[in-house]
Amino acid sequence: MTKSLRLRAAVVSILLFCGFIAAWHLATRGSGEVAKMSPEYAALMGATATQGKSAMPGPFDVGSKLWEHIKHPFYDNGPNDKGLGIQLGYSIARVMIGYLLAVAVAIPLGFLIGMSPLMNKALDPFIQVLKPISPLAWMPLALYTIKDSSLSAVFVIFICSVWPMLLNTAFGVASVRKEWINVARTLEVGTVRRAFTVILPAAAPTILTGMRISIGIAWLVIVAAEMLVGGTGIGYFVWNEWNNLSIVNVIIAILMIGLVGMLLDQVLARFTRMVTFPE
């Protein structure tokens, strides 16, 4: 039954994708009526204006350019001309550093909040004030104090990744069945051992759900952060290609951002399924 559902879902997905490509191709291949314009303006605007073609590239133009990027993903011709693989590598590295720092802070602190009603009440006002602040609002302060654009981007990733993990960890720890904790206390299991042998396995699915939410937010924020700080990264690549009016490369970058985000999400989804067991 499950295999049949997956097969049918795959068929529907392929049909939807083919329909989208066909609609995209038809929308960009037609030519409209060409307006009268001065020769100077026509020379400036190029074929999209003088021949009435759509300014939006079609799927075959994007596919051809994407293949060029795939064949040479790591070329380096200077500061503003690096391969797509290099740009993605910088972005993924920044995300992983900031994300792992957030894991190191959020999960232990979430355990403390979940296990201690006193710390929960004491830290809740600070969390509620800091959590709604946009991660990009921290960028000017980070640039001023850290004085390094790459480290500032890592700091922003850290800030945006902390809160979903922290809150989900605290919720998962506080929601562990009291019977299990009481049995551990009856067996005179210490606090630290109880946290690792009873609470952590029970709260693991909720903790990993928070980690999954955080990685998605981190990947969203890195694109905007790199647009601000420049230099390298997929966010800077999008902004630089827009400045060059290369819409084909912008579309390719958007596609790559979506694919990498999906892969990061699926990795953590896999880990979540591994630690989730029916009661």
Side-chain angles (χ1 to χ4, degrees):
M1 182 66 180
T2 304
K3 290 183 179 179
S4 174
L5 179 61
R6 288 178 179 173
L7 178 61
R8 285 181 291 160
V11 170
V12 172
S13 295
I14 292 171
L15 290 175
L16 289 172
F17 177 75
C18 292
F20 170 74
I21 295 296
W24 181 8
H25 175 67
L26 292 174
T28 55
R29 70 185 294 270
S31 60
E33 183 179 353
V34 181
K36 292 182 179 180
M37 60 188 75
S38 67
E40 293 82 2
Y41 184 74
L44 176 66
M45 296 302 294
T48 58
T50 58
Q51 299 176 19
K53 293 181 180 179
S54 172
M56 179 65 69
F60 297 107
D61 298 323
V62 173
S64 175
K65 190 66 176 178
L66 177 60
W67 179 243
E68 292 181 19
H69 284 293
I70 291 173
K71 287 193 297 183
H72 305 287
F74 299 109
Y75 73 86
D76 188 348
N77 295 331
N80 293 326
D81 190 12
K82 298 181 187 296
L84 199 58
I86 293 177
Q87 306 287 13
L88 284 170
Y90 273 99
S91 295
I92 292 171
R94 290 178 184 128
V95 167
M96 287 296 102
I97 294 171
Y99 180 77
L100 292 176
L101 289 173
V103 170
V105 171
I107 292 181
L109 188 57
F111 261 84
L112 178 63
I113 293 171
M115 294 178 68
S116 171
L118 173 63
M119 295 306 298
N120 186 6
K121 293 291 185 183
L123 293 177
D124 185 65
F126 299 98
I127 294 172
Q128 296 307 321
V129 169
L130 294 173
K131 179 169 64 72
I133 299 173
S134 169
L136 294 179
W138 293 97
M139 182 61 78
L141 188 61
L143 288 169
Y144 180 77
T145 54
I146 300 174
K147 296 179 174 59
D148 184 278
S149 59
S150 291
L151 292 178
S152 297
V154 169
F155 173 76
V156 169
I157 294 303
F158 167 79
I159 287 292
C160 76
S161 301
V162 160
W163 308 118
M165 276 190 280
L166 176 64
L167 295 175
N168 272 53
T169 301
F171 175 76
V173 170
S175 300
V176 175
R177 289 187 176 183
K178 300 303 179 185
E179 311 89 87
W180 298 348
I181 297 176
N182 290 335
V183 168
R185 284 174 176 163
T186 301
L187 296 175
E188 298 183 353
V189 177
T191 303
V192 175
R193 187 181 175 190
R194 188 165 66 243
F196 281 97
T197 59
V198 179
I199 297 175
L200 179 59
T206 307
I207 295 171
L208 279 166
T209 299
M211 294 174 66
R212 186 179 175 186
I213 295 170
S214 288
I215 197 67
I217 295 173
W219 188 243
L220 284 171
V221 169
I222 192 62
V223 175
E226 288 172 345
M227 285 183 178
L228 291 176
V229 300
T232 52
I234 193 64
Y236 174 72
F237 179 81
V238 172
W239 192 248
N240 189 51
E241 293 305 316
W242 162 245
N243 288 332
N244 295 332
L245 295 179
S246 179
I247 304 302
V248 173
N249 279 332
V250 171
I251 294 173
I252 290 171
I254 291 171
L255 176 62
M256 290 297 103
I257 290 167
L259 289 175
V260 172
M262 181 187 70
L263 290 174
L264 293 174
D265 179 79
Q266 289 303 306
V267 168
L268 284 170
R270 176 70 175 173
F271 286 136
T272 302
R273 288 192 294 268
M274 290 172 61
V275 300
T276 303
F277 302 98
E279 295 184 7

